[in-house]
Amino acid sequence: MERRDFLKLGITGAFGIAVTTSDLLWQVKQAKAAEIPSTSPESLTPDAALRKLIEGNQRFIQHHPQYPDQSALRLKEVAQAQHPFATILSCADSRVPAEIVFDQGIGDIFDVRIAGNIATHEAIGSIEYAVVLLGSPLLMVMGHERCGAVTAAVQKESLLGDISTFVKAIKPALKKVKDQPGDAVENAVVANVKYQIERLQKSKLLTEQVRSGKLKIVGGRYDLDTGEISIIA
């Protein structure tokens, strides 16, 4: 065998081992994910659901994700029914994917995403569906650092088309922090989360769930630089 043929064989063999190793690592991750027991919302209190979210976020920021509920078995489990343990109204920003930042999986989180994490009628209806019909015990409104929608509202930018609609929905929150010291956008991000929670609390369906102890509503702020979620309301 010539030297170049030998080298070619060696390279092919090396890549063959690499592919096999990659496949093996993926299978191991899937196996571990399958071993992590999933918990239905019926067995979780609102406080326990919140702890589950925060623990997942801690794994994410510490770079020790478990990738729960992402196995083929989990896919089959939720194929016919869903019971998310948390509902999250968050910004549509591509840097804030709930399942990843909270280290959760398929069927764990009912996502309602819209620019500025605003509680539109459609968003509220989606949340009512998740809470009342699916039994989700936790609702989080999650804003994030340097939110573009909030920034546009603070800077009073003139926007084209329907982009201006979510700015209009954020403006009432700005009145509460108009003279507050500090960074105007950061203040507005927090104020907007609290304001959207106030809007959600006008829903009779949601308030009934809160009064019965079946639902907890909290606010969160996502830090783009660290990946950490802080509870703010």
Side-chain angles (χ1 to χ4, degrees):
M1 182 182 296
E2 294 185 5
R3 184 172 181 273
R4 63 181 179 181
D5 293 332
F6 177 78
L7 289 174
K8 187 183 297 183
L9 178 62
I11 292 171
T12 303
F15 276 103
I17 293 173
V19 172
T20 302
T21 302
S22 176
D23 290 342
L24 180 59
L25 289 174
W26 174 247
Q27 291 173 12
V28 169
K29 287 183 178 180
Q30 287 290 292
K32 287 183 177 179
E35 290 172 1
I36 299 171
S38 58
T39 309
S40 64
E42 291 84 355
S43 62
L44 278 180
T45 65
D47 287 334
L50 179 58
R51 286 195 298 273
K52 187 172 181 179
L53 274 187
I54 297 304
E55 288 169 359
N57 180 241
Q58 286 299 306
R59 294 194 301 270
F60 171 72
I61 63 179
Q62 293 169 9
H63 308 295
H64 296 300
Q66 293 180 350
Y67 305 108
D69 295 334
Q70 297 181 31
S71 64
L73 176 61
R74 176 61 171 177
L75 194 64
K76 292 181 180 179
E77 285 178 348
V78 298
Q80 300 302 323
Q82 58 171 323
H83 300 287
F85 77 88
T87 300
I88 299 180
L89 171 59
S90 62
C91 186
D93 193 294
S94 63
R95 299 165 294 180
V96 195
E99 280 81 4
I100 295 178
V101 302
F102 285 111
D103 189 31
Q104 301 302 325
I106 300 170
D108 290 333
I109 296 176
F110 193 93
D111 293 301
V112 181
R113 301 187 66 180
I114 185 169
N117 44 273
I118 56 177
T120 64
H121 291 295
E122 294 79 6
I124 294 172
S126 298
I127 291 168
E128 290 174 337
Y129 172 79
V131 170
V132 179
L133 299 182
L134 302 182
S136 181
L138 178 69
L139 167 59
M140 176 182 286
V141 177
M142 185 170 69
H144 68 91
E145 181 184 24
R146 297 190 292 272
C147 177
V150 173
T151 300
V154 170
Q155 297 179 351
K156 301 179 181 180
E157 295 182 12
S158 178
L159 302 172
L160 300 174
D162 288 338
I163 301 176
S164 61
T165 58
F166 57 74
V167 171
K168 182 179 179 181
I170 294 170
K171 282 186 176 180
L174 305 184
K175 297 178 182 178
K176 298 183 179 182
V177 291
K178 183 178 179 180
D179 300 317
Q180 185 174 316
D183 184 89
V185 173
E186 177 59 24
N187 292 341
V189 165
V190 174
N192 182 50
V193 169
K194 294 179 179 180
Y195 173 69
Q196 302 307 329
I197 289 177
E198 290 176 4
R199 286 183 52 78
L200 288 166
Q201 289 171 336
K202 293 179 181 178
S203 162
K204 292 182 179 180
L205 292 178
L206 297 180
T207 53
E208 286 174 2
Q209 295 297 102
V210 172
R211 288 170 184 166
S212 67
K214 295 179 181 178
L215 175 68
K216 186 182 186 75
I217 303 177
V218 299
R221 172 194 177 276
Y222 179 75
D223 191 302
L224 292 174
D225 300 305
T226 67
E228 185 172 9
I229 307 291
S230 300
I231 304 301
I232 60 175

